[in-house]
Amino acid sequence: MLYNIRLHLHYDYERSAAGGRHHIRVMPQTMTGVQRVIASSLSFDPVSTERSEFTDFFSNTVTSIVYRNPHETLDVTMTARVNVTRPPNMLDVSPDLAGLQREIRSVWSIAADAPHHFLTSSAHATIDPEITAYAAKSLAGTRTVMEAVKHLNNRIHADFTYESDVTDVRTNARQAFDLRAGVCQDFSHVMIAGLRGIGIPAGYVSGFLRTIPPPGEERLEGADAMHAWVRVWCGREAGWQEFDPTNAMIAGNDHITIGYGRDYADVSPIVGVLKTSGSQEGKQSVDVIPLE
């Protein structure tokens, strides 16, 4: 599926910022067998004093910018044309949970995609006994890891309410779990924390979701902003599989990936420091337009 994508981030500062340094993670990636970036651009207003790019530990593209002159606003605009061709859903060749534990122990690697990085607590997805107990219910009556993950994915969709004004980017998995409400980031953090609690490696995916649904289909939740879903290691044969608890589905060609991490903190669209005082306000808009 071919898409034109446009992302706009706008920040207003209460008082002029005398300087700043930011890391930006908003560029889609080319990934063999998943998606190909045909063209892309990233611009800033005002133009930054310094600009460079690097690849972080999880192979995400990071643009680093520095401002040395006063500025009262910051605009980040990303445009891209991306072709997404995810493979069709495969047969379930994942082991049961005990088999998965054996396979995890047999992985002698600390590369970025090794399951070991995604088994312990992280900033937004701390392993919590109540979330673990909630996730463990999906093990009953399921025979394989993928069956259990799909079951949990669908339960979160059914049990939680999509509300955009009850959480923010600082909300962690336990807070969202107590609310039983939030947005895609929150649903993903709850699912990640639950899976890690029962011993299944899980990570965070940052990206976009198509804005315009096919004729006759309902619009997907989370399509007006950057989207998030979950990446799960389902064993040596099945590998990493991606699930969207916000929409109770397996990630498909409507999901365009920016990057991977342990949780939101690893792939937040912008993080940095400012030399200023007072508050700031931010706005985000996303257009993902499928091309016939």
Side-chain angles (χ1 to χ4, degrees), residues 33 39 64 161 164 194 218 266-267 272 281:
S64 177
T161 303
S164 59
E218 291 187 4
D266 286 334
V267 285
E281 292 185 2

Side-chain angles (χ1 to χ4, degrees), residues 149-150 153 191 229-230 232 241-245 249-251:
V149 173
K150 289 177 184 177
N153 188 63
M191 184 168 171
W229 57 99
V230 179
V232 184
Q241 302 293 323
E242 298 181 12
F243 301 83
D244 183 348
M249 63 193 301
I250 295 174

Side-chain angles (χ1 to χ4, degrees), residues 8-82:
H8 182 218
L9 305 176
H10 175 76
Y11 297 92
D12 281 306
Y13 306 129
E14 183 177 351
R15 294 180 177 84
S16 178
R21 181 182 294 271
H22 309 281
H23 286 171
I24 318 293
R25 291 176 174 87
V26 296
M27 298 291 283
Q29 300 185 46
T30 291
M31 298 177 292
T32 303
V34 177
Q35 67 184 31
R36 180 170 64 93
V37 177
I38 298 169
S40 63
S41 68
L42 181 62
S43 61
F44 304 97
D45 185 14
V47 176
S48 59
T49 308
E50 299 176 17
R51 174 173 174 167
S52 61
E53 286 193 354
F54 65 93
T55 301
D56 67 15
F57 176 75
F58 295 109
S59 299
N60 305 314
T61 299
V62 185
T63 302
S64 177
I65 58 173
V66 175
Y67 287 100
R68 303 196 186 282
N69 299 321
H71 54 289
E72 298 179 351
T73 62
L74 172 60
D75 286 276
V76 180
T77 303
M78 189 281 299
T79 60
R81 177 167 291 188
V82 182

